[in-house]
Protein backbone atom coordinates (compact mmCIF):
# COMPACT_ATOMS: atom_id res chain seq x y z
CA UNK A 1 0.00 0.00 0.00
CA UNK A 2 1.37 3.40 -0.96
CA UNK A 3 2.17 5.73 1.88
CA UNK A 4 0.29 8.96 2.52
CA UNK A 5 2.20 12.17 1.87
CA UNK A 6 2.78 14.32 4.95
CA UNK A 7 3.94 17.92 5.23
CA UNK A 8 4.82 19.77 8.42
CA UNK A 9 4.17 23.48 8.93
CA UNK A 10 6.46 24.72 11.70
CA UNK A 11 10.14 23.97 12.16
CA UNK A 12 10.47 24.89 15.82
CA UNK A 13 10.37 22.69 18.92
CA UNK A 14 6.93 21.17 18.28
CA UNK A 15 7.50 20.67 14.57
CA UNK A 16 10.73 18.94 15.50
CA UNK A 17 8.85 16.50 17.74
CA UNK A 18 6.61 15.49 14.83
CA UNK A 19 9.56 15.17 12.45
CA UNK A 20 11.54 13.11 14.97
CA UNK A 21 8.52 10.85 15.56
CA UNK A 22 8.38 10.19 11.81
CA UNK A 23 12.13 9.53 11.63
CA UNK A 24 11.93 7.17 14.61
CA UNK A 25 9.26 4.99 13.02
CA UNK A 26 6.10 6.18 14.75
CA UNK A 27 4.53 7.22 11.43
CA UNK A 28 5.59 4.51 8.98
CA UNK A 29 2.37 4.87 6.96
CA UNK A 30 3.45 8.37 5.88
CA UNK A 31 6.07 9.74 3.52
CA UNK A 32 7.39 13.01 4.91
CA UNK A 33 7.66 15.17 1.79
CA UNK A 34 8.41 18.64 3.14
CA UNK A 35 8.70 21.05 6.03
CA UNK A 36 7.95 24.78 5.98
CA UNK A 37 8.80 27.23 8.73
CA UNK A 38 9.60 30.86 9.49
CA UNK A 39 13.27 30.18 10.19
CA UNK A 40 15.13 29.20 7.01
CA UNK A 41 18.00 27.81 9.06
CA UNK A 42 15.82 25.62 11.30
CA UNK A 43 13.72 24.47 8.36
CA UNK A 44 16.75 23.40 6.36
CA UNK A 45 18.29 21.66 9.36
CA UNK A 46 15.12 19.69 10.14
CA UNK A 47 14.56 18.81 6.48
CA UNK A 48 18.12 17.59 6.13
CA UNK A 49 17.75 15.51 9.29
CA UNK A 50 14.65 13.77 7.93
CA UNK A 51 15.59 13.67 4.26
CA UNK A 52 12.67 15.76 3.02
CA UNK A 53 12.38 19.06 1.18
CA UNK A 54 12.76 22.40 2.99
CA UNK A 55 9.98 24.72 1.82
CA UNK A 56 10.09 28.50 1.88
CA UNK A 57 6.33 28.84 2.40
CA UNK A 58 2.98 27.04 2.38
CA UNK A 59 2.63 27.34 -1.39
CA UNK A 60 5.87 25.41 -1.91
CA UNK A 61 4.74 22.81 0.62
CA UNK A 62 1.36 22.42 -1.10
CA UNK A 63 3.10 22.01 -4.47
CA UNK A 64 4.33 18.65 -3.11
CA UNK A 65 0.66 17.57 -2.94
CA UNK A 66 0.61 16.28 0.64
CA UNK A 67 -2.42 14.33 1.81
CA UNK A 68 -2.02 15.95 5.23
CA UNK A 69 -0.31 19.01 6.65
CA UNK A 70 0.47 18.88 10.35
CA UNK A 71 0.52 22.43 11.74
CA UNK A 72 2.79 23.23 14.67
CA UNK A 73 3.44 26.91 14.05
CA UNK A 74 1.04 29.66 15.14
CA UNK A 75 -2.47 31.07 14.94
CA UNK A 76 -1.32 33.32 12.09
CA UNK A 77 0.08 30.31 10.23
CA UNK A 78 -3.25 28.48 10.49
CA UNK A 79 -5.12 31.51 9.16
CA UNK A 80 -2.73 31.76 6.23
CA UNK A 81 -2.75 28.05 5.42
CA UNK A 82 -6.07 26.40 6.26
CA UNK A 83 -8.39 27.50 3.46
CA UNK A 84 -5.62 27.28 0.85
CA UNK A 85 -4.73 23.71 1.88
CA UNK A 86 -8.33 22.50 2.07
CA UNK A 87 -9.05 23.91 -1.40
CA UNK A 88 -6.01 22.06 -2.72
CA UNK A 89 -7.34 18.72 -1.46
CA UNK A 90 -5.06 18.57 1.58
CA UNK A 91 -6.52 17.78 4.98
CA UNK A 92 -4.94 19.47 7.99
CA UNK A 93 -4.11 18.69 11.61
CA UNK A 94 -4.32 21.88 13.64
CA UNK A 95 -2.44 22.49 16.88
CA UNK A 96 -2.90 26.28 17.11
CA UNK A 97 -6.62 25.98 17.79
CA UNK A 98 -6.80 29.62 18.87
CA UNK A 99 -7.22 30.46 15.18
CA UNK A 100 -10.80 29.23 15.47
CA UNK A 101 -11.60 31.88 18.06
CA UNK A 102 -12.42 33.95 14.97
CA UNK A 103 -15.97 32.75 14.35
CA UNK A 104 -16.06 33.95 10.74
CA UNK A 105 -12.81 32.14 9.96
CA UNK A 106 -14.08 29.00 11.69
CA UNK A 107 -17.21 28.97 9.55
CA UNK A 108 -15.18 29.61 6.39
CA UNK A 109 -12.91 26.68 7.19
CA UNK A 110 -15.87 24.36 7.81
CA UNK A 111 -17.55 25.44 4.59
CA UNK A 112 -14.35 25.01 2.57
CA UNK A 113 -13.69 21.53 3.95
CA UNK A 114 -17.22 20.43 3.09
CA UNK A 115 -16.98 21.81 -0.43
CA UNK A 116 -13.66 20.08 -1.18
CA UNK A 117 -14.10 16.82 0.70
CA UNK A 118 -11.22 17.54 3.05
CA UNK A 119 -10.99 17.42 6.83
CA UNK A 120 -9.72 19.52 9.73
CA UNK A 121 -8.43 17.39 12.60
CA UNK A 122 -8.06 19.26 15.87
CA UNK A 123 -5.14 17.98 17.93
CA UNK A 124 -5.70 17.79 21.67
CA UNK A 125 -2.62 19.90 22.40
CA UNK A 126 -2.07 20.31 26.13
CA UNK A 127 -5.45 18.82 27.06
CA UNK A 128 -7.66 16.07 25.65
CA UNK A 129 -10.77 14.07 26.34
CA UNK A 130 -12.69 15.79 23.55
CA UNK A 131 -14.53 12.55 22.78
CA UNK A 132 -16.17 12.23 26.20
CA UNK A 133 -16.78 15.98 26.46
CA UNK A 134 -18.59 15.98 23.11
CA UNK A 135 -20.54 12.87 24.07
CA UNK A 136 -21.90 14.42 27.26
CA UNK A 137 -22.70 17.67 25.47
CA UNK A 138 -24.73 15.77 22.84
CA UNK A 139 -26.82 14.02 25.50
CA UNK A 140 -28.63 17.12 26.71
CA UNK A 141 -28.33 20.75 27.76
CA UNK A 142 -24.85 20.56 29.19
CA UNK A 143 -23.03 22.93 31.50
CA UNK A 144 -19.34 23.24 30.68
CA UNK A 145 -16.39 24.99 32.25
CA UNK A 146 -12.62 25.28 32.31
CA UNK A 147 -10.58 25.96 35.42
CA UNK A 148 -6.93 26.77 34.76
CA UNK A 149 -4.12 27.13 37.28
CA UNK A 150 -0.90 28.87 36.29
CA UNK A 151 2.15 30.40 37.87
CA UNK A 152 2.24 34.22 37.89
CA UNK A 153 5.27 34.35 35.57
CA UNK A 154 3.26 32.75 32.76
CA UNK A 155 0.77 35.63 32.96
CA UNK A 156 3.35 38.32 32.26
CA UNK A 157 2.70 40.39 29.13
CA UNK A 158 -1.03 39.68 29.35
CA UNK A 159 -3.85 41.96 30.60
CA UNK A 160 -4.27 39.60 33.57
CA UNK A 161 -0.86 40.27 35.07
CA UNK A 162 -0.40 42.54 38.06
CA UNK A 163 2.83 43.06 39.98
CA UNK A 164 1.37 41.84 43.28
CA UNK A 165 0.91 38.36 41.81
CA UNK A 166 4.68 37.85 42.02
CA UNK A 167 4.69 38.40 45.78
CA UNK A 168 1.29 36.97 46.74
CA UNK A 169 1.41 34.07 49.17
CA UNK A 170 -2.03 32.73 48.26
CA UNK A 171 -3.77 31.93 45.01
CA UNK A 172 -5.68 34.66 43.16
CA UNK A 173 -8.46 34.33 40.62
CA UNK A 174 -7.39 36.59 37.77
CA UNK A 175 -10.21 35.89 35.33
CA UNK A 176 -13.83 34.76 35.54
CA UNK A 177 -16.08 34.84 32.50
CA UNK A 178 -16.89 32.77 29.45
CA UNK A 179 -14.62 31.41 26.75
CA UNK A 180 -15.63 34.12 24.28
CA UNK A 181 -14.52 36.81 26.75
CA UNK A 182 -11.29 34.92 27.51
CA UNK A 183 -10.56 34.64 23.78
CA UNK A 184 -11.09 38.38 23.28
CA UNK A 185 -8.80 39.19 26.20
CA UNK A 186 -6.07 36.63 25.50
CA UNK A 187 -6.29 35.84 21.78
CA UNK A 188 -2.93 34.07 21.51
CA UNK A 189 -2.98 32.15 24.80
CA UNK A 190 -6.31 30.35 24.94
CA UNK A 191 -5.96 27.29 22.70
CA UNK A 192 -7.38 25.21 25.56
CA UNK A 193 -10.42 27.46 25.99
CA UNK A 194 -11.13 27.45 22.26
CA UNK A 195 -10.78 23.67 21.94
CA UNK A 196 -12.85 22.86 25.01
CA UNK A 197 -15.62 25.29 24.12
CA UNK A 198 -15.87 23.97 20.55
CA UNK A 199 -16.05 20.42 21.91
CA UNK A 200 -18.77 21.25 24.43
CA UNK A 201 -21.31 24.08 24.60
CA UNK A 202 -19.65 26.83 22.56
CA UNK A 203 -17.57 29.89 23.49
CA UNK A 204 -20.47 31.92 24.91
CA UNK A 205 -21.68 29.15 27.21
CA UNK A 206 -18.39 27.71 28.47
CA UNK A 207 -17.29 29.21 31.79
CA UNK A 208 -13.60 30.01 32.22
CA UNK A 209 -11.78 30.64 35.48
CA UNK A 210 -8.03 31.33 35.60
CA UNK A 211 -6.07 31.25 38.85
CA UNK A 212 -2.55 32.47 39.58
CA UNK A 213 -0.75 30.29 42.14
CA UNK A 214 2.54 31.39 43.75
CA UNK A 215 5.41 29.08 42.85
CA UNK A 216 3.29 27.00 40.50
CA UNK A 217 5.18 25.61 37.50
CA UNK A 218 3.38 24.54 34.35
CA UNK A 219 -0.34 24.55 33.58
CA UNK A 220 -3.22 22.61 35.08
CA UNK A 221 -6.46 22.54 33.07
CA UNK A 222 -9.64 21.04 34.51
CA UNK A 223 -12.45 20.82 31.95
CA UNK A 224 -15.97 19.79 32.93
CA UNK A 225 -19.08 18.90 30.94
CA UNK A 226 -22.18 17.97 32.91
CA UNK A 227 -25.83 17.08 32.42
CA UNK A 228 -28.27 15.57 34.88
CA UNK A 229 -26.94 12.16 35.82
CA UNK A 230 -23.65 12.43 33.91
CA UNK A 231 -20.51 14.41 34.67
CA UNK A 232 -17.23 14.25 32.75
CA UNK A 233 -14.06 15.83 34.13
CA UNK A 234 -10.79 16.01 32.22
CA UNK A 235 -7.89 17.27 34.34
CA UNK A 236 -4.45 17.47 32.76
CA UNK A 237 -1.26 18.96 34.20
CA UNK A 238 1.92 19.51 32.21
CA UNK A 239 5.09 21.50 32.68
CA UNK A 240 6.26 20.97 29.10
CA UNK A 241 4.79 21.84 25.72
CA UNK A 242 6.08 18.52 24.35
CA UNK A 243 2.65 16.99 24.99
CA UNK A 244 1.26 19.29 22.28
CA UNK A 245 3.67 18.01 19.64
CA UNK A 246 2.98 14.40 20.57
CA UNK A 247 -0.77 15.02 20.34
CA UNK A 248 -0.30 15.69 16.60
CA UNK A 249 1.59 12.39 16.29
CA UNK A 250 -1.32 10.67 18.04
CA UNK A 251 -3.81 12.14 15.53
CA UNK A 252 -1.68 11.01 12.58
CA UNK A 253 -1.43 7.49 13.99
CA UNK A 254 -5.18 7.38 14.61
CA UNK A 255 -5.92 8.37 11.02
CA UNK A 256 -4.26 5.25 9.64
CA UNK A 257 -4.93 2.79 12.46
CA UNK A 258 -7.42 -0.08 12.09
CA UNK A 259 -8.29 0.54 15.74
CA UNK A 260 -9.34 4.15 16.36
CA UNK A 261 -9.31 5.69 19.84
Amino acid sequence: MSRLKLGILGSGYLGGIIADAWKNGYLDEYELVGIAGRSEEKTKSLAEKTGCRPCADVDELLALKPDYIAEAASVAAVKGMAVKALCAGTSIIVLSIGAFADADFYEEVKRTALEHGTKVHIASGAVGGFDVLRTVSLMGDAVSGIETRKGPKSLKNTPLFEDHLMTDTEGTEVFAGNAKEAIALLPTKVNVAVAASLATTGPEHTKVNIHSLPGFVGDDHKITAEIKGVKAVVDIYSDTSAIAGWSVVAVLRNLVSPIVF
Side-chain angles (χ1 to χ4, degrees), residues 2-9 18-19 22-23 27-37 43-44 46-70 90-91 252:
S2 60
R3 294 192 294 172
L4 295 166
K5 292 183 177 182
L6 172 65
I8 297 175
L9 180 58
I18 302 166
W22 177 84
K23 184 175 175 61
L27 300 170
D28 284 341
E29 296 83 358
Y30 297 88
E31 174 191 359
L32 182 57
V33 293
I35 298 173
T43 301
K44 284 184 176 180
L46 199 55
E48 183 178 343
K49 181 179 179 181
T50 53
C52 71
R53 178 172 171 174
C55 299
D57 52 32
V58 170
D59 290 334
E60 189 174 341
L61 185 59
L62 285 172
L64 302 176
K65 299 188 181 302
D67 296 289
Y68 293 96
I69 288 180
T90 297
S91 292
L252 288 165

Side-chain angles (χ1 to χ4, degrees), residues 19-260:
D20 284 344
W22 177 84
K23 184 175 175 61
N24 292 328
Y26 286 93
L27 300 170
D28 284 341
E29 296 83 358
Y30 297 88
E31 174 191 359
L32 182 57
V33 293
I35 298 173
R38 286 188 303 177
S39 167
E40 182 179 353
E41 181 181 352
K42 288 182 179 180
T43 301
K44 284 184 176 180
S45 175
L46 199 55
E48 183 178 343
K49 181 179 179 181
T50 53
C52 71
R53 178 172 171 174
C55 299
D57 52 32
V58 170
D59 290 334
E60 189 174 341
L61 185 59
L62 285 172
L64 302 176
K65 299 188 181 302
D67 296 289
Y68 293 96
I69 288 180
E71 175 274 322
S74 67
V75 166
V78 174
K79 287 196 165 186
M81 172 273 291
V83 171
K84 189 179 293 186
L86 296 168
C87 285
T90 297
S91 292
I92 59 177
I93 298 98
V94 175
L95 191 54
S96 302
I97 310 163
F100 297 136
D102 181 335
D104 291 337
F105 175 69
Y106 181 57
E107 291 302 321
E108 182 185 11
V109 165
K110 285 201 297 183
R111 186 169 58 250
T112 303
L114 281 170
E115 289 174 356
H116 294 273
T118 43
K119 296 282 187 181
V120 179
H121 302 276
I122 295 179
S124 61
V127 287
F130 295 154
D131 51 353
V132 68
L133 294 171
R134 284 189 65 81
T135 299
V136 172
S137 298
L138 287 170
M139 292 172 67
D141 293 328
V143 175
S144 63
I146 309 161
E147 185 173 350
T148 294
R149 300 189 299 163
K150 292 175 169 286
K153 286 184 179 179
S154 69
L155 295 170
K156 283 188 174 182
N157 302 315
T158 77
L160 301 182
F161 182 77
E162 295 182 8
D163 289 338
H164 71 83
L165 296 175
M166 297 300 295
T167 54
D168 283 350
T169 56
E170 296 183 356
T172 302
E173 184 176 71
V174 293
F175 178 84
N178 62 35
K180 184 177 181 179
E181 293 165 339
I183 291 162
L185 191 64
L186 304 165
T188 63
K189 296 183 179 290
V190 287
N191 280 335
V192 170
V194 175
S197 65
L198 292 178
T200 54
T201 57
E204 293 185 6
H205 302 289
T206 301
K207 296 179 181 178
V208 176
N209 299 84
I210 301 174
H211 299 266
S212 169
L213 297 181
F216 193 80
V217 177
D219 293 315
D220 185 273
H221 302 290
K222 181 179 180 181
I223 307 169
T224 304
E226 184 175 5
I227 61 170
K228 185 177 180 180
V230 181
K231 182 177 182 179
V233 179
V234 177
D235 192 342
I236 296 179
Y237 165 81
S238 65
D239 67 356
T240 171
S241 61
I243 188 173
W246 280 103
S247 76
V248 175
V249 177
V251 170
L252 288 165
R253 285 172 64 94
N254 228 11
L255 288 171
V256 296
S257 174
I259 307 296
V260 180

